[in-house]
Amino acid sequence: MVKVKELYRNAQDYEGQSVRLSGWIRTSRVSKSFGFIELNDGGFFKNAQIVFDESLENFQEVAKYHIATAITVEGTVVYTPDAKQPFEIKASEILLEGASSSDFPLQKKRHTFEYLRTIAHLRPRGNTYSAVFRVRSLAAFAIHKFFQERGFVYVHTPIITGSDAEGAGEMFHVSTLDPKNPPLTEAGDVDYTEDFFGKMANLTVSGQLNAEAYAMAFKDVYTFGPTFRAENSNTARHAAEFWMIEPEIAFADLKDNMKLAEDMLKYVISYVMEEAPEEMAFFNQFVDKTLLERLNFIVNSEFKRVTYTEAVELLEKSGKKFEYPVKWGSDLQTEHERYLTEEIFKMPIFVTDYPKEIKAFYMRQNEDGKTVAAMDCLVPGVGEIIGGSQREERMDVLMDRIKELGLHEEDYWWYLELRKYGGTKHAGYGLGFERLIMYITGMTNIRDVIPFPRTTGNAEF
Ligand code: 4AD
Ligand code: MG
């Protein structure tokens, strides 16, 4: 069985050869005595053109095959260097593998992304999603490749966990309770402490704390897996279930952390552009006409670095009227982030040293007592794509912060012990995988870069 991708890449070598391939009909045009089928074999973004005529004994049936029909074709390769496609296949036999009915929803016309979301089980068969999910797969591989080449150990951090890594309380509870007959407290309320075989448990919001433990053994580690946030944010860039890449590096500070993040982003973007040129050309043509120019510029430029305090000053000085006013001490809103990266810097930036009040408990306090060694990476079109920091390795400072925030020291006992036994300077970050895919493809809604998105109220498929 030959692959369509292989035929595209080396069409000339196959001239005159007989081949066999299986796939699905994308389009079919038939006249009285001959016809053309665009066949997609699933292994490549582009289709193979199949030419067939009355010499086929089942010509009349083939002529009636609907879009999405699964077939196997035997035929001869004709090299066509001057045509749009470098080859076509003259069919000597076409076998029906799986019929399709005439009402297949993805006919040639263009559909809205909103409509296509309602048929999430069929949409990967159309061009846009076929390109998106191939890029998603390649980018995931590139991430592993990047870290593995640098000697990082891939750690599978738990999905079910007792700790709240962000201390923000946005967790889905995991329950073994019988909803019809739950255990009750003396006051008659449902006793959620019995949730997970006698313990409270949640779906992870981040693997960071576990990754920190492993960084203290392996030095350089990363996790890459699904994470969950029970925030009711119905926006184009939030999902309840999303994938996160979280490296953690020991004997490293915030600068090392930013360098790693920048190198990784450039590596993954370059890898995808090299390995998926057809898909990227498609996005550039149909989704965002400046995409390739922008990505090429980015892989060859240095990301800008700016402190939170400087960023606030720049926003204030800009004179721009924002929906939310900018004020030192408040978190940057999406509109501020986008203005910084799209209008002021016009490229990806790292914003560092945020006020400690708006950041998580584990971030390392700076000398000024007001800010922490945090870094967010913001990119044009998406906003925040990475959040990270140098971690607080000083036991006393960390304990004070946990108390100050009203968190329970006993919930973090093992995390605190990491500081007791050879706890060294270390740092890490979390990259939202879907936001990276949005950035690479130009797609503007997170629902269009997740195969079966889990956003507010959406768990149908
Ligand atoms: O900034 P966040 O919340 O950072 C952490 O979770 C840290 N523990 C990471 C670390 O230092 N190891 O999340 C990191 C990134 C964000 O920058 C964003 O790209 C993505 O995760 N993210 C989301 N993506 C989609 N939907 C959501 N609801 C997201 N929340 C965060
Ligand atoms: Mg963040």
Side-chain angles (χ1 to χ4, degrees):
M1 189 88 52
V2 72
K3 296 228 170 4
V4 172
K5 184 170 188 171
E6 166 64 13
L7 290 173
Y8 264 90
R9 297 280 188 261
N10 301 303
Q12 193 164 11
D13 299 351
Y14 287 87
E15 161 70 15
Q17 283 193 31
S18 98
V19 293
R20 187 181 164 89
L21 70 166
S22 298
W24 294 270
I25 297 178
R26 279 289 175 84
T27 66
S28 169
R29 285 176 292 137
V30 185
S31 68
K32 260 215 186 93
S33 54
F34 64 96
F36 298 99
I37 286 173
E38 295 281 334
L39 189 75
N40 193 282
D41 78 344
F44 191 46
F45 183 58
K46 293 192 170 187
N47 306 313
Q49 168 140 288
I50 314 292
V51 190
F52 63 101
D53 62 25
E54 285 177 312
S55 62
L56 291 188
E57 61 177 59
N58 57 349
F59 176 78
Q60 292 305 336
E61 283 116 77
V62 173
K64 286 189 224 125
Y65 289 166
H66 297 299
I67 294 181
T69 301
I71 56 173
T72 293
V73 177
E74 288 213 6
T76 312
V77 177
V78 183
Y79 180 50
T80 55
D82 301 324
K84 225 169 83 190
Q85 295 160 325
F87 70 95
E88 56 185 33
I89 292 167
K90 170 115 190 34
S92 54
E93 200 183 333
I94 296 184
L95 263 170
L96 178 64
E97 301 273 9
S100 174
S101 119
S102 63
D103 59 357
F104 182 66
L106 293 174
Q107 302 293 330
K108 253 215 126 170
K109 79 182 204 29
R110 281 184 95 177
H111 297 280
T112 64
F113 292 148
E114 285 79 7
Y115 167 68
L116 291 166
R117 282 174 214 146
T118 68
I119 50 166
H121 60 309
L122 299 177
R123 68 178 183 170
R125 305 180 192 196
N127 280 340
T128 307
Y129 293 95
S130 153
V132 166
F133 294 116
R134 200 174 295 287
V135 162
R136 186 175 164 119
S137 165
L138 283 168
F141 179 70
I143 281 164
H144 284 295
K145 195 161 169 334
F146 173 84
F147 286 116
Q148 297 282 339
E149 279 171 0
R150 282 155 188 75
F152 282 60
V153 171
Y154 178 31
V155 182
H156 294 114
T157 51
I159 304 292
I160 297 176
T161 174
S163 54
D164 178 1
E166 289 302 294
E170 289 172 336
M171 296 174 296
F172 287 103
H173 294 289
V174 172
S175 181
T176 56
L177 304 185
D178 176 356
K180 291 202 194 86
N181 189 20
L184 301 178
T185 62
E186 270 173 29
D189 302 321
V190 176
D191 185 358
Y192 285 109
T193 59
E194 291 297 316
D195 248 8
F196 185 66
F197 308 112
K199 289 261 194 238
M200 283 267 262
N202 317 295
L203 295 181
T204 184
V205 294
S206 156
Q208 178 194 321
L209 306 192
N210 304 90
E212 281 186 59
Y214 271 61
M216 290 301 133
F218 295 98
K219 194 168 174 187
D220 294 332
V221 301
Y222 70 106
T223 90
F224 183 6
T227 49
F228 307 85
R229 301 267 166 112
E231 51 186 337
N232 196 356
S233 306
N234 198 2
T235 79
R237 42 174 231 154
H238 287 92
E241 175 180 316
F242 62 98
W243 282 59
M244 192 152 46
I245 294 100
E246 295 183 277
E248 197 66 35
I249 46 179
F251 304 96
D253 63 13
L254 195 68
K255 278 208 182 77
D256 303 316
N257 205 22
M258 287 189 277
K259 165 104 177 43
L260 182 69
E262 182 170 347
D263 288 350
M264 176 204 63
L265 287 174
K266 288 176 177 172
Y267 181 97
V268 175
I269 293 169
S270 305
Y271 183 86
V272 170
M273 287 203 292
E274 218 157 89
E275 296 296 320
E278 290 82 7
E279 286 83 350
M280 294 307 291
F282 174 86
F283 293 127
N284 199 61
Q285 189 177 351
F286 294 108
V287 177
D288 177 350
K289 297 246 185 288
T290 62
L291 183 70
L292 287 179
E293 191 191 322
R294 186 151 39 87
L295 294 178
N296 272 312
F297 167 73
I298 272 147
V299 295
N300 293 305
S301 330
E302 223 175 284
F303 294 8
K304 294 277 189 310
R305 284 141 172 82
V306 58
T307 66
Y308 167 89
T309 303
E310 287 161 355
V312 166
E313 279 166 19
L314 286 169
L315 290 168
E316 280 169 347
K317 268 202 303 213
S318 75
K320 163 101 180 147
K321 286 265 169 295
F322 294 106
E323 196 184 327
Y324 292 91
V326 197
K327 202 173 102 240
W328 199 99
S330 324
D331 207 357
L332 297 178
Q333 301 295 321
T334 303
E335 54 170 343
H336 307 140
E337 295 179 341
R338 293 192 58 169
Y339 194 81
L340 280 168
T341 178
E342 287 165 25
E343 305 297 330
I344 299 182
F345 290 98
K346 299 191 194 318
M347 64 178 309
I349 58 172
F350 288 106
V351 180
T352 64
D353 305 293
Y354 284 74
K356 64 177 184 189
E357 279 73 25
I358 56 174
K359 287 292 182 189
F361 70 96
Y362 50 71
M363 295 191 181
R364 191 177 198 281
Q365 278 190 50
N366 289 329
E367 297 307 311
D368 61 13
K370 288 191 293 199
T371 59
V372 285
M375 61 96 162
D376 276 9
C377 181
L378 315 179
V379 298
V382 182
E384 180 191 335
I385 183 171
I386 287 176
S389 67
Q390 187 171 332
R391 318 307 190 188
E392 186 57 79
E393 82 282 14
R394 296 162 296 186
M395 176 76 107
D396 48 338
V397 185
L398 183 58
M399 287 219 304
D400 285 350
R401 192 69 187 134
I402 286 178
K403 277 194 212 114
E404 216 173 7
L405 288 169
L407 299 170
H408 303 292
E409 204 181 301
E410 55 287 6
D411 291 346
Y412 297 96
W413 70 271
W414 62 269
Y415 186 68
L416 289 162
E417 266 197 8
L418 301 175
R419 278 71 188 159
K420 190 171 160 195
Y421 303 116
T424 175
K425 171 169 86 167
H426 64 293
Y429 62 81
L431 164 69
F433 187 51
E434 284 73 19
R435 298 207 185 156
L436 173 67
I437 304 303
M438 290 167 74
Y439 187 55
I440 296 180
T441 59
M443 299 296 284
T444 53
N445 196 309
I446 198 163
R447 292 163 183 78
D448 297 324
V449 299
I450 307 180
F452 298 100
R454 296 290 170 259
T455 47
T456 342
N458 187 357
E460 181 172 2
F461 294 92

